[in-house]
């Protein structure tokens, strides 16, 4: 049953099957879930929808809920990448695939979210917290559009002034 440390018995690893209260119980249908415990701690849950939570201590909310760091490594046998994100989301409107939101949890951050998406033409975009400005756009043709300014290292005024315009790129010296 349980490991004994000389004073107390502690729960060990186990697999438990339980009624999933997120689902609706009806005649002939009792939704269940699988709970995995290690060292008495709630390790993972697979609910009746097939949703999985790992390390959250809770039932899954999304298809995959993970609390902690993740490591994904390809085995080198596939023709595609180790991680594939497919599908679409309508946050940006019809035709967008919003595949990632990055959020800073530091207190006091004014704009904590950035969204990564593909648009209708396949351009990779980074969108601001309010979802109203595209900050970065990389087209299939290799064109890069960046809103705002770009800093190239820490140039002195003399070094910046010496940089010529090249291939349509102009470097403005607007700081001292």
């Amino acid at each position: 049953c349980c490991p004994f440390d000389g004073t107390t018995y502690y729960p060990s690893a186990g697999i438990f099957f339980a009624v999933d209260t997120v689902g609706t119980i009806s005649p002939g249908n009792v939704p269940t879930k699988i709970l995995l415990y290690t060292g008495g701690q709630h390790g993972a849950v697979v609910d009746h929808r097939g949703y999985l939570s790992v390390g959250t201590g809770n039932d899954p909310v999304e298809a995959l809920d993970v609390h902690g760091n993740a490591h994904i490594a390809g085995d080198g046998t596939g023709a595609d990448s180790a991680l594939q994100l497919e599908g679409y989301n309508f946050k940006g409107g019809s035709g967008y695939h919003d595949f990632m939101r990055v959020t800073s949890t530091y207190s006091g951050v004014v704009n904590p979210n950035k969204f990564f998406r593909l648009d209708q033409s396949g351009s990779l975009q980074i969108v601001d917290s309010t979802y109203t400005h595209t900050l970065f756009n990389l087209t299939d043709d290799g064109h890069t559009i960046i809103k705002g300014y770009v800093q190239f290292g820490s140039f002195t005024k003399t070094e910046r002034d010496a940089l010529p315009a090249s291939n349509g790129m102009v470097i403005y010296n607007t700081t001292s």
Side-chain angles (χ1 to χ4, degrees), residues 106-151:
Y106 288 112
S107 62
V109 174
V110 178
N111 297 307
N113 300 315
K114 298 294 180 274
F115 298 91
F116 289 71
R117 70 181 186 185
L118 296 175
D119 72 3
Q120 305 91 319
S121 64
S123 294
L124 173 66
Q125 299 177 338
I126 301 175
V127 184
D128 71 346
S129 290
T130 61
Y131 223 84
T132 55
H133 298 95
T134 301
L135 307 173
F136 175 88
N137 188 26
L138 176 62
T139 69
D140 273 355
D141 297 333
H143 298 278
T144 304
I145 303 164
I146 300 173
K147 303 287 182 174
Y149 70 93
V150 177
Q151 180 176 342

Side-chain angles (χ1 to χ4, degrees), residues 29-49:
N29 180 42
V30 178
T32 57
K33 61 183 173 182
I34 303 170
L35 300 105
L36 293 99
Y37 286 85
T38 56
Q41 299 294 317
H42 181 202
V45 175
V46 180
D47 73 6
H48 74 282
R49 302 167 295 180

